[in-house]
Amino acid sequence: MLLDSIGVALPHDPFEAASSLATHVIGSLPYIRYGGFERDADLAYGTVTVALAQLAAFASGFFGTADDILAQRTLTNYCTFQMMPPMREAFRQRVKTGQGVIRPSGRAPWMIATYPGNLVCPVCEPAAWHEYGTRAIFWPHRAPMVRACWRHGVQLVPMASGPEPNYP
């Protein structure tokens, strides 16, 4: 049936990470790295799970171009601040197209041991659930050393399991 092959892109919070959008619009897909090895998506602190060009095309530009999504919904630019220009461009192309090889430097910011994992704001996630009808991961919460929400000033907590966010 034709309706089974039509993707639906609905409004999402402007600070929702590209990875969260991809999960809702495309579904959870493995990110293929050079050499054909599959691994969990964790580019740019987990804010990129599929090539941004694929996400932009799948949503027919609803979330903007790949460049728009990169600038507004990922931590890619944060990850590239210490890179030399050729490495920076290679990383950006990897995020946008899923193609190419990157070799992170030993002091790259995404190698820092303070990566928070799936920490969420106990106010933001239920608000997104009530306003947009989906669970959401916000890119500002994903940055290393961030332990509080920039909107609400509350401490981030591990993401609750289950389909609906329930926080005490």
Side-chain angles (χ1 to χ4, degrees):
M1 175 174 224
L2 179 60
L3 292 178
D4 293 336
S5 62
I6 297 175
V8 178
L10 299 172
H12 288 262
D13 189 279
F15 290 97
E16 188 168 350
S19 58
S20 186
L21 293 176
T23 299
H24 297 300
V25 175
I26 299 172
S28 297
L29 301 173
Y31 199 90
I32 309 285
R33 66 181 160 142
Y34 186 73
F37 297 103
E38 293 184 12
R39 64 178 174 84
D40 290 333
D42 61 357
L43 284 177
Y45 293 108
T47 60
V48 178
T49 55
V50 298
L52 299 181
Q54 180 184 2
L55 177 59
F58 195 85
S60 300
F62 184 75
F63 302 119
T65 65
D67 288 317
D68 295 335
I69 297 169
L70 183 147
Q72 299 167 8
R73 294 184 179 267
T74 74
L75 289 170
T76 302
N77 290 330
Y78 176 81
C79 292
T80 62
F81 78 89
Q82 193 176 353
M83 295 178 177
M84 296 297 291
M87 188 183 294
R88 183 180 309 129
E89 188 54 35
F91 185 71
R92 291 172 61 85
Q93 285 305 312
R94 177 63 183 253
V95 166
K96 288 193 299 189
T97 66
Q99 303 297 313
V101 179
I102 56 170
R103 288 189 179 147
S105 68
R107 294 184 292 191
W110 63 88
M111 306 291 271
I112 296 174
T114 58
Y115 174 63
N118 286 330
L119 295 181
V120 297
C121 170
V123 179
C124 285
E125 193 183 19
W129 176 265
H130 293 294
E131 187 168 344
Y132 300 104
T134 62
R135 295 192 77 166
I137 296 172
F138 296 91
W139 66 263
H141 298 156
R142 304 289 293 184
M145 297 182 267
V146 170
R147 296 294 182 258
C149 178
W150 84 104
R151 281 182 175 163
H152 303 103
V154 300
Q155 185 173 356
L156 300 178
V157 298
M159 180 180 265
S161 61
E164 184 177 345
N166 290 314
Y167 297 97

